[in-house]
């Protein structure tokens, strides 16, 4: 059966995350996509693998999913047919035939997430769906110092659970960068890339940046909290709506 | 009675525009704001003037409104009290005491609007609330040439109706600029500033840019259509959701 890879964008606001839960547990991205593929396959169930299991409220600019189809379809036609069935908050940006053995999650080499945090005094109406909000001026130097702490290979057990079948909580962060958007609002924009992420890990990283920026934790305290491998040691995670899965990389062979 | 000026931001998606219509005609920005001010005034009706009468679905980053209150309140306290009552899609960004005779619309010297048009093949889920969508590559040189046509003093009767008490359709456009956003999507960003705008004028300007960019109208044809002072001569307006009122200027004296 031909194997396909699709790149997806979605507004996570009205989804209960990526992953299908038990029957009737709410609208998920995987569930909506699988229902469309089932219609395309004349009623036969199609199982979809997603690169990142985004939580409820988390958005995607470049999620990747893979699946097998009984029908052989040209990729452009597959994308068109899916978009004709999918709701406006979930779109296929691109479709391609995937090489044998490709799996959206297991084949991924790295993922890039972006978090936007509105730090203005009132939560901005035009940003509220796609930004977290902390109405406090953050110390920019401390935030940058805390972000640098996450670079490299660490055991991130203090920041999240592994969730899936891979039980290790070791991850390698290759990019951990803070930008400040000055207009129309002072917002923190955090970009983080790693070979993989634990559940709630990015939101916990941002929780750490906020604690450092507000002066609630020193960078030395955050370093100890990371080393503790204990979730109670780490500041609470930032809210989901500020987070977007930007890109998944698979290396030169299959991009 | 003290006179106040507030700067407002709103997500126009769930509003039927700025202006209060007849009773029961739907949720408007003016109506929601007046209801909050009435509560603040112990039940007394407060009439609000807005700088721009934005249509249904149009957003604002910096709308300005003025009103008199029986109560004398410090501006920061007024903003806080209003934000505690207003819904999340409408926020007061700033409040100030206004000089005698100030009127949000009549005192305005100029307004700046921004229109964002997604030109990607599929309507992007994370842009759909705040962008129009035309899934066509536009000719950038022609769009720029058409935008230059609008600069200066013109009778814009082909593009909209005056709507208010001022019956002239002459307006002076001081800025008419096209930017292209390349990432994450190729989008046209159009900024236009003038001493005033007719109803639907900005959306009609964008309709003209799109017609030029698609090659449906030459710039010479648009020039003739503008001179015709006849709405049937001009291409249809772009959809409302791409439009945002960015800023209202009142000159040095009262900013």
């Amino acid at each position: 059966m031909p194997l396909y890879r699709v790149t997806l964008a979605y507004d996570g606001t009205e989804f209960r995350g990526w992953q299908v839960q038990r029957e009737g547990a709410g609208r998920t991205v995987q569930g909506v996509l699988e229902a469309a593929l089932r219609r395309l396959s004349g009623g036969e169930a199609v199982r979809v693998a997603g690169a990142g299991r985004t939580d409820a409220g988390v958005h995607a600019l470049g999620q990747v999913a893979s699946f097998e189809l009984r029908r052989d379809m040209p990729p452009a036609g597959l994308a068109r047919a899916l978009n004709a069935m999918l709701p406006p908050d979930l779109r296929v940006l691109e479709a391609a035939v995937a090489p044998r053995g490709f799996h959206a999650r297991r084949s991924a080499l790295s993922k890039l997430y972006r978090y936007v945090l509105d730090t203005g005094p009132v939560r901005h109406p035009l940003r509220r769906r796609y930004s977290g909000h902390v109405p406090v001026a953050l110390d920019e130097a401390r935030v940058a110092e805390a972000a640098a702490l996450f670079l490299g290979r660490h055991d991130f057990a203090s920041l999240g659970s592994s969730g899936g079948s891979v039980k290790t909580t070791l991850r390698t962060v290759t990019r951990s960068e803070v930008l400040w958007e000055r207009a129309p609002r002072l917002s923190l924009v955090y970009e983080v890339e790693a070979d993989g992420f634990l559940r709630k890990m990015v939101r916990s990283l941002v929780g750490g940046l906020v604690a450092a920026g507000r002066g609630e934790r020193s960078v030395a305290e955050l370093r100890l909290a990371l080393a503790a491998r204990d979730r109670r040691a780490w500041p609470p995670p930032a809210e989901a709506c500020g987070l977007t899965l930007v890109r998944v990389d698979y290396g030169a062979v299959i991009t």
Side-chain angles (χ1 to χ4, degrees), chain A:
Chain A
M1 292 202 288
L3 182 63
Y4 291 95
R5 181 180 86 151
V6 291
T7 305
L8 304 168
Y10 46 86
D11 178 338
T13 313
E14 313 289 339
F15 287 104
R16 301 198 54 168
W18 167 265
Q19 198 161 16
V20 170
Q21 310 290 332
R22 62 175 201 291
E23 202 67 45
R27 184 178 184 253
T28 67
V29 181
Q30 185 190 2
V32 169
L33 183 60
E34 288 182 351
L37 285 166
R38 179 193 281 258
R39 278 180 60 193
L40 209 62
S41 306
E44 193 169 2
V46 176
R47 203 64 185 171
V48 168
R53 299 192 192 98
T54 53
D55 282 333
V58 175
H59 317 289
L61 282 170
Q63 169 76 287
V64 175
S66 57
F67 50 83
E68 286 186 319
L69 272 191
R70 207 165 273 277
R71 282 174 65 180
D72 210 334
M73 289 184 78
L78 173 62
R80 242 189 334 265
L82 283 172
N83 281 330
M85 290 188 283
L86 293 172
D89 54 351
L90 171 59
R91 297 277 95 185
V92 175
L93 299 185
E94 211 192 332
V97 173
R100 233 151 86 97
F102 177 80
H103 185 279
R105 189 177 67 257
R106 288 195 297 266
S107 305
L109 299 181
S110 68
K111 282 170 220 152
L112 173 66
Y113 279 92
R114 182 182 298 138
Y115 195 95
V116 180
L117 185 74
D118 177 352
T119 66
V122 295
R123 186 167 202 138
H124 200 288
L126 291 173
R127 299 301 184 93
R128 74 192 196 288
R129 287 170 75 97
Y130 310 118
S131 305
H133 182 233
V134 174
V136 174
L138 302 177
D139 183 301
E140 299 188 17
R142 283 179 181 209
V143 171
E145 213 187 324
L149 195 65
F150 308 143
L151 278 170
R153 188 156 181 81
H154 299 282
D155 186 335
F156 286 101
S158 290
L159 283 88
S161 52
S162 67
S165 51
V166 181
K167 290 301 171 212
T168 174
T169 47
L170 283 165
R171 295 291 185 276
T172 302
V173 173
T174 48
R175 179 172 175 186
S176 176
E177 197 172 1
V178 178
L179 307 152
W180 294 90
E181 195 184 87
R182 311 268 158 201
R185 301 272 281 179
L186 185 58
S187 297
L188 179 157
V189 180
Y190 177 60
E191 294 197 342
V192 60
E193 191 161 23
D195 56 353
F197 291 90
L198 308 175
R199 280 210 59 197
K200 294 210 181 168
M201 179 169 153
V202 183
R203 290 162 58 193
S204 292
L205 291 172
V206 175
L209 298 181
V210 169
R214 298 178 80 136
E216 289 170 0
R217 299 281 187 102
S218 69
V219 175
E221 285 169 328
L222 282 182
R223 185 180 287 113
L224 289 173
L226 176 60
R229 288 180 233 172
D230 178 352
R231 296 196 59 177
R232 291 163 302 180
W234 195 260
E239 52 190 326
C241 63
L243 185 59
T244 301
L245 172 55
V246 174
R247 196 176 66 213
V248 185
D249 283 323
Y250 294 94
V253 182
I254 41 177
T255 50

